[in-house]
Amino acid sequence: MSYEYSSESKRLDFPNPFKVENYFYLVSAAILIVGAMMLLMLSRNNLAGNMTLWSITPLMVGVYLLLIGIRDAGRALMQLRFFFGRGEPASLAGDVAQDQTGQSREADELKEMLRQNALSLQEPKGALNGLLYSWLRDLIYAPHPIQVVAQRQFQTGLAILVTLLSFFVSQIGFADSASAAWLSLFYFGFTTFLLIRPLNYGAAGKADMGVKGLVVLILVAILGPVIVPLVSKHLPDIAWLSLGWQTFVLLLAALLAVGLYFVALMKQMVAPPPTTMACEQLTVSMNAHPKQLMDELDRELQKAWSEQIPNRRYSRVLPVVSGGRGSFAGDVVEETQPLPREDMRSIDLGACFSLPRYQWLAWLDTIGLLLTIAGVMLMVLFASRFTPTDFRQEVVSFATMGAALLLVSRFCFVAGHSLWGRFDFLSQLIWVELKGNYQSAKLDYGNQFTDRVRTEKEVINVETMTLRVWVAELESVSFGKNTQRYIVGMRGRPDKAQYLAHHLMQFAGDQSLIVAPTSNVDMQKVAALGAINKLGGGEANESIRNIQQAIAGVGAASSAKAHAHCSQCGASLEKEAIFCSSCGYRLGGFTSA
């Protein structure tokens, strides 16, 4: 299993946590489908002889087993391999788009977690939860879904235990077969309700039974054996449907399954999580808009993207500067792409029974598989001995006992699935905060009287701005691909916080105050203007005379060169002559050699 971002990086490869569970689902599917086919074949004789409602009972049971088998096979095939797509796993808070600003309540909670240097823990409520958390003290540090399921299974186990004790008492006081049959049916249905109720809620359900709910269950378990015999006198005789042993086996198997699941749940807990924080605080002064720090921070955070995957942005508030003076504030909260922990490894069936985290889960599915085999065999025996006109108690007991075992096996598989789908991630949470005061200023550069080139600029002066940088490495878990992610550990990264803070401080100090040309043509013109500017002042008199002499020398040279020969006879002329000494021509039109 891997991310869709890249198939080249090994860091994005995630071991499939459902690999071992798929084995159990495939074997269970094969057993259920084979048993369903046998039931369908056996039901043909009953349908050929007598087409009644009772005659199609084996057929209905076979169709039901076939549907369960196909569903188990389909789940295993869907879990053979899948990918984490873009935006997965779920973010810790609402995401802010790249070109937008804003924040959310969850982002404020993340900032408060960093500020307080502590994880937020939900205090358990209720007397039963008080008993549970006093027994398991580290349960408070477990992810929230683990705590909810632990509370619910603890209450379910107590209810089944009370029901089992009540069932023992009821079987001692009643000898009437008709009352005993109805009483057994009552306990069978009540236990079925206790097992199905937590499965319908799933991992996100609430454990809301509490003391009142437990009292109601106890009253039902105590008063039921008293009320049922009174009502059963007016009901049909169902002695052929005696469910005494079936109810007893169902209660014991349910108690065993809930106990195994509770132990497997406790193995998902971790030690009290580390909660350290790294915060770097600096005082920064600069002559530039503070938003320039936010832009540089964006560039620097992009350089550190995990596997070139964009960060999740949970908060972005830009500093606002308007008017001559005032205060500003801004912050950015980002999380790097959550990546699988490096110590996560692919687990095979053999190693699964030796690792504490998966050992009891494997045993829970093993019990579920064994109960599936036993339940299917009992259903096949029922279909092989069933006749529509003969309702013998031993024949019906095969079907009821098989239904009880199949019910508990479903509980084992469905309950364990939520724990198999645990994903552990590592990421970094970064929070940068700016707070300070500003005032506007105007800067002129250049001598007003002597310089030919001057520059001026309106600047924002920020003095002693507070710059805080928090960086923490987060451990987070989710149960399922698209479910909520929970933080279970936090470690400070002082090296990263110090680097970002000092980098932003250096960037602020490097901001230029002067507007200057940058192109090559501008630089050539500036050099020429600079040479002219150097001519001003007392120290430039010699330079001015040199330039004047040079200009005069060029003019004299040109004049001398122009009067060198007579235009009429071509004779050489003397310097400053008016007439040609050879031909007497008055000079004024001449040619140069």
Side-chain angles (χ1 to χ4, degrees):
M1 182 172 60
S2 60
Y3 291 83
E4 69 169 18
Y5 293 100
S6 172
S7 59
E8 299 177 358
S9 176
K10 297 298 182 181
R11 293 185 62 193
L12 296 177
D13 290 335
F14 202 110
N16 190 348
F18 299 112
K19 179 179 178 180
V20 176
E21 187 190 32
N22 289 337
Y23 295 145
F24 289 103
Y25 269 123
L26 290 174
V27 175
S28 174
I31 295 171
L32 289 169
I33 293 175
V34 170
M37 293 300 177
M38 296 178 67
L39 284 169
L40 295 177
M41 294 176 63
L42 292 172
S43 65
R44 290 187 302 177
N45 296 330
N46 295 327
L47 294 176
N50 187 9
M51 191 66 176
T52 62
L53 179 62
W54 289 106
S55 63
I56 65 174
T57 301
L59 176 63
M60 295 173 60
V61 174
V63 171
Y64 177 71
L65 294 182
L66 182 62
L67 292 177
I68 298 177
I70 294 175
R71 187 179 63 180
D72 286 354
R75 172 165 289 183
L77 293 177
M78 288 189 297
Q79 295 177 167
L80 288 178
R81 182 179 177 87
F82 59 89
F83 298 88
F84 277 98
R86 296 185 179 274
E88 296 177 350
S91 299
L92 298 174
D95 292 316
V96 178
Q98 186 68 25
D99 56 346
Q100 294 181 354
T101 60
Q103 54 186 343
S104 62
R105 179 182 59 84
E106 294 83 1
D108 293 337
E109 293 177 355
L110 291 175
K111 290 190 285 188
E112 193 63 23
M113 177 189 69
L114 296 178
R115 192 194 308 274
Q116 297 292 339
N117 189 21
L119 299 179
S120 177
L121 302 177
Q122 297 185 8
E123 182 179 357
K125 299 179 180 179
L128 293 180
N129 290 336
L131 175 63
L132 175 63
Y133 281 80
S134 64
W135 177 34
L136 301 172
R137 296 184 178 274
D138 290 342
L139 182 60
I140 188 66
Y141 303 113
H144 183 66
I146 296 294
Q147 297 188 44
V148 171
V149 177
Q151 296 171 15
R152 192 166 62 235
Q153 292 304 319
F154 180 67
Q155 296 171 6
T156 301
L158 289 178
I160 292 177
L161 184 60
V162 171
T163 305
L164 181 60
L165 296 176
S166 175
F167 178 73
F168 277 139
V169 175
S170 66
Q171 293 299 310
I172 295 175
F174 296 93
D176 185 10
S177 59
S179 298
W182 279 105
L183 194 62
S184 299
L185 181 60
F186 164 77
Y187 277 105
F188 190 90
F190 187 64
T191 306
T192 302
F193 166 76
L194 293 178
L195 284 178
I196 294 178
R197 183 171 179 266
L199 296 183
N200 292 334
Y201 286 146
K206 296 182 178 180
D208 55 356
M209 183 172 68
V211 175
K212 294 181 179 179
L214 185 62
V215 169
V216 171
L217 293 178
I218 293 175
L219 291 177
V220 171
I222 294 177
L223 298 179
V226 178
I227 298 175
V228 170
L230 298 177
V231 179
S232 64
K233 296 178 181 180
H234 309 283
L235 297 175
D237 185 10
I238 56 170
W240 54 272
L241 192 61
S242 179
L243 299 174
W245 281 105
Q246 292 90 324
T247 304
F248 177 69
V249 172
L250 176 62
L251 284 168
L252 286 181
L255 197 61
L256 174 63
V258 171
L260 279 175
Y261 181 62
F262 193 80
V263 174
L265 195 68
M266 294 302 99
K267 295 300 181 180
Q268 299 294 318
M269 296 193 307
V270 295
T275 53
T276 60
M277 182 45 52
C279 177
E280 190 75 13
Q281 178 174 285
L282 298 176
T283 301
V284 180
S285 297
M286 59 185 297
N287 292 297
H289 198 297
K291 184 181 178 298
Q292 293 181 230
L293 286 181
M294 309 290 281
D295 297 336
E296 176 63 18
L297 176 64
D298 289 343
R299 291 187 289 267
E300 195 63 26
L301 291 179
Q302 183 171 352
K303 294 178 182 178
W305 283 357
S306 297
E307 300 298 330
Q308 301 303 313
I309 303 173
N311 293 345
R312 280 87 179 294
R313 178 174 292 171
Y314 301 142
S315 175
R316 180 176 174 82
V317 178
L318 298 179
V320 178
V321 174
S322 61
R325 63 185 61 192
S327 60
F328 64 88
D331 73 347
V332 171
V333 178
E334 291 191 5
E335 182 193 15
T336 60
Q337 171 66 29
L339 297 178
R341 287 175 47 179
E342 295 181 358
D343 57 348
M344 296 295 295
R345 56 179 178 175
S346 180
I347 303 171
D348 55 15
L349 187 60
C352 188
F353 285 93
S354 60
L355 296 175
R357 178 172 169 179
Y358 301 99
Q359 183 178 18
W360 294 99
L361 269 179
W363 281 114
L364 180 67
D365 281 358
T366 300
I367 296 297
L369 185 60
L370 294 177
L371 292 177
T372 300
I373 296 173
V376 170
M377 292 178 63
L378 290 173
M379 288 298 184
V380 172
L381 288 176
F382 162 72
S384 63
R385 301 185 182 185
F386 174 79
T387 55
T389 59
D390 185 11
F391 294 97
R392 289 178 297 175
Q393 181 177 349
E394 60 272 14
V395 176
V396 177
S397 63
F398 287 140
T400 53
M401 185 69 77
L405 297 181
L406 289 175
L407 174 63
V408 180
S409 69
R410 291 297 95 190
F411 174 85
C412 294
F413 282 119
V414 176
H417 176 71
S418 61
L419 298 183
W420 283 113
R422 172 171 177 167
F423 301 91
D424 291 77
F425 300 96
L426 286 177
S427 61
Q428 289 185 8
L429 186 64
I430 304 166
W431 177 25
V432 179
E433 183 182 23
L434 308 177
K435 285 186 178 181
N437 301 313
Y438 72 92
Q439 60 183 0
S440 299
K442 184 176 181 180
L443 175 69
D444 293 338
Y445 180 79
N447 192 301
Q448 184 175 2
F449 299 101
T450 59
D451 286 355
R452 301 297 187 269
V453 178
R454 298 192 308 271
T455 181
E456 64 179 25
K457 180 181 181 182
E458 291 185 358
V459 298
I460 299 174
N461 177 248
V462 177
E463 295 289 345
T464 62
M465 176 186 66
T466 301
L467 170 64
R468 298 188 183 96
V469 180
W470 282 269
V471 180
E473 187 176 56
L474 302 182
E475 295 181 14
S476 56
V477 300
S478 64
F479 294 86
K481 183 179 178 181
N482 299 312
T483 59
Q484 184 177 354
R485 190 157 49 97
Y486 300 89
I487 300 174
V488 297
M490 179 174 62
R491 289 184 297 272
R493 289 292 305 273
D495 54 338
K496 186 69 174 291
Q498 184 177 10
Y499 168 76
L500 280 178
H502 287 272
H503 177 80
L504 294 177
M505 184 176 183
Q506 181 180 0
F507 176 80
D510 291 341
Q511 298 309 296
S512 175
L513 287 174
I514 302 173
V515 177
T518 56
S519 69
N520 292 331
V521 176
D522 286 339
M523 297 305 294
Q524 293 174 4
K525 293 180 179 180
V526 167
L529 291 174
I532 295 175
N533 284 335
K534 290 181 179 180
L535 299 180
E539 298 178 355
N541 293 331
E542 185 66 26
S543 297
I544 294 176
R545 286 193 295 270
N546 292 336
I547 293 177
Q548 292 174 347
Q549 292 175 1
I551 293 176
V554 171
S558 298
S559 178
K561 184 177 181 181
H563 295 82
H565 299 87
C566 178
S567 60
Q568 293 297 323
C569 65
S572 298
L573 300 176
E574 296 180 358
K575 184 177 182 181
E576 299 180 353
I578 299 176
F579 297 92
C580 177
S581 59
S582 297
C583 65
Y585 180 75
R586 182 179 178 85
L587 298 178
F590 58 89
T591 60
S592 59

